[in-house]
Amino acid sequence: MNAPSLALSPSRAALANALRALAMDAVEQANSGHPGMPMGMADIAEVLWRHHLRHNPANPRWADRDRFVVSNGHGSMLLYALLHLTGYDLPMEQIRRFRQLHSVTPGHPEYGLTPGVETTTGPLGQGLANAVGMALAERLLAAEFNRPGFDIVDHRTYVLLGDGCLMEGISHEAASLAGTLGLRKLVCLYDDNGISIDGHVSGWFSDDTPRRFRAYGWNVIEAVDGHDADAIDAALKRAQAAGHPTLICCKTVIGKGAPNKAGSHDVHGAPLGQKEVAAARASLGWASPPFEVPDEIRAAWDARSRGAAMEANWSERFQAYSRAHPQLALEFVRRMAGELPPGWAERSAALVRDAAARNDKVATRKASRNALEALASSLPELIGGSADLTGSNLTAWSRSTTVTADTAGNYIHYGVREFGMAAIMNGLALHGGLLPYGGTFLVFSDYARNALRMAALMRLRSIFVLTHDSIGLGEDGPTHQPIEHAAALRLIPRMDVWRPCDALETQVAWIAAIERRDGPSCLLLSRQNLPAQPRDAAVCSQVQRGGYILAEAPSSTPQAVIIATGSEVELAMQAQRQLALEGLGVRVVSMPCASAFDRQDAAYREAVLPNGIPRIAVEAGVSDYWRKYVGLDGAVLGLDRFGESAPAPQLFEYFGLTASNLSALVRSTLHRTAEPAAPPTGERSHPALTLG
Ligand SMILES: Cc1ncc(C[n+]2csc(CCOP(=O)(O)OP(=O)(O)O)c2C)c(N)n1
């Protein structure tokens, strides 16, 4: 039904009101959601989307589209309304089903679910950091692929953000680096409405935000009336001409259009209620029933032909580029598709063979650098970095070149910004064309943790290089010694956590992380040297399964199975030899990546870990994780307390992470399983050992 009062050529206010109406009606229908932000930012969105954003609703994957990120992701209905009205494959039925099971309009925007959603947002501040990654990706790819007369990579990254994003510490990390790197095509629109959930922010957020961003080296456009289309338009034009990233501070009224609730926190995250919705309709002059949009408003929003023309124009230019630079064009297409280069399979297989042939004792962090050295020259998409621990993480290789404000490169000194790094890496991965890896100490994965979780939620190929993976780092002490971190990372669904025991497993882990198309990987690497384990070709081929028989029991049927990872694999091998002298046959299973092992078929898993044979796990970290593999009858030799400051070999001794303790645990486990009523052993009182 059309609104009779609307003119044929709708006003900008009426166009923005379409966004407001859809948002308040969808939230009302769901009886949950956030009407305040969409109603408050509707005027900004109208100007940006109808007059500036370069996108094609028919092809949300168009390589040179502008990227649009709603960092204040609770305002998801604004994004869904924009996608719906401009012509993306998001029918009204989906708007009606906002926040319902299996709709593509979930509570917060989810990448990979809704066409046109560029990143998953909701955890405040991370969208901004993702956008920094996207803007950086654009700059790096432009430097790599553009040629005189052919700007095939030339787009902007626009971000909506609110007080919450700016209060979050990650906004500092991301904005600071964006300023230093001079990401001039990044344009942020700040919803300066003075309200967050608890009320007026003046009591907890009194920063001088414009000065803060100027101090980062940003271009700041202050005091823009976020409900004045001309002012917003002028600010966007200034931003586009700037030589720095831009923050446009827009004064807005949260929930604008709701006559009794606008401007208050009541409208932030709750349905307006039927009475207020009716009052808003009256005050906005919006006469259409819920989920109906007048034809002339729909027509004015429809961006399909404009978008198709934009992409067609780009495609023509890309065709010409392909004729002038055929190899580059092919490479660009490959990179944006996320495909590995031709010959990858043969090359990576050869690298595994090489690594298997070597038997040097090496820290897995060094083995990781060797793996990078071998892989990276044929993978120009690799974009590395570290959070100020390059020399410790060993994340740079011989042809790493630093990205600066003036130069492109393939290595980012992220500074001491772990969370920012991880979220920026996610933005690089989301943009496409680049494959990010970045390092810090494993213990500081906590700082970055939610971005690691978001990488998994979004199925991104981000590779987190986490070194100094246990008490084996030694003297830096308990602040730096990860205890619960390996287990905690393994708990993140879809995260592959590799803790290799030697150079060969490290090489395989890198290859697996690079080949993965459906999620991130963490590589947990030792500071200390680890011996190479012997394997024949058949065993080598099993490593990528995540868990495999590294050393079969001397007797054909093992009496027990030891499961080990990383530096503790060598302990397992020593224990196996000790026990063999006593006539006990023990199998050693190396389990560098438990989730990869879990994905193997049941027959394989049963072949590696046969039912009915007692299992003992060993890892220099919390024991709980391994209970699912060893069961109630098994045992774990772990470390369920914080570490100590001392040389590493002394710490392994002190905490009882020794081959002789492991052997003792195997013996006692066999004894206990043979005689179920046997009492626990005295070893339980050891300060660190986790037994039983
Ligand atoms: C990291 C994180 N912490 C907390 C929340 C919960 N939360 C959602 S919105 C919000 C307040 C945001 O305030 P603001 O950005 O001003 O949004 P507005 O009220 O203007 O819509 C909070 C605390 C969250 N989504 N993410």
Side-chain angles (χ1 to χ4, degrees), residues 365 368-369 372-373 376 382-398 400 410-414 421 437-440 463-467 510 525:
R365 64 181 171 139
S368 164
R369 189 188 48 198
L372 255 179
E373 193 70 48
L382 276 180
I383 172 86
S386 165
D388 205 41
L389 286 169
T390 296
S392 300
N393 301 145
L394 301 180
T395 32
W397 58 291
S398 59
S400 289
N410 60 7
Y411 195 85
I412 301 162
H413 291 279
Y414 287 99
M421 172 177 75
Y437 70 90
T440 184
I463 302 176
F464 304 103
V465 180
L466 304 168
T467 68
W510 263 106
L525 305 169

Side-chain angles (χ1 to χ4, degrees), residues 178-196:
T180 301
L181 294 180
L183 300 177
R184 62 177 183 82
K185 287 183 171 170
L186 177 65
V187 179
C188 299
L189 293 133
Y190 167 29
D191 185 24
D192 183 7
N193 60 21
I195 294 289
S196 65

Side-chain angles (χ1 to χ4, degrees), residues 34 36-38 72 74-75 108 122-126 161-168 191 193-198 201 254 265 268 450:
H34 301 75
M37 179 286 215
N72 41 0
H74 56 278
H108 294 82
L124 294 171
Q126 270 187 83
L161 51 81
D163 296 303
C165 294
L166 294 180
M167 280 187 261
E168 287 291 351
D191 185 24
N193 60 21
I195 294 289
S196 65
I197 290 182
D198 282 1
V201 299
I254 190 168
H265 62 132
H268 161 92
N450 199 262

Side-chain angles (χ1 to χ4, degrees), residues 57 88 116 136 143 212 287 293 295 323 333-334 373 377 432 547 618 676:
Y88 283 76
L136 182 54
R212 173 183 162 202
V293 177
D295 289 344
R323 287 189 291 276
V333 170
R334 173 187 84 76
E373 193 70 48
S377 50
V618 57

Side-chain angles (χ1 to χ4, degrees), residues 490 496-500 505 508-509 512 539-549 563-565 589-600 604 608 626 629:
R490 291 184 186 116
D496 273 359
V497 178
W498 289 85
R499 186 167 185 256
E505 284 191 0
V508 171
V539 173
C540 274
S541 69
Q542 305 295 305
V543 177
Q544 37 93 20
R545 291 176 177 261
Y548 64 100
I549 304 169
I563 307 169
T565 77
V589 167
S590 178
M591 183 84 79
C593 183
S595 53
F597 177 74
D598 291 348
R599 289 195 291 270
Q600 304 303 313
Y604 177 79
V608 175
W626 293 104
Y629 293 103

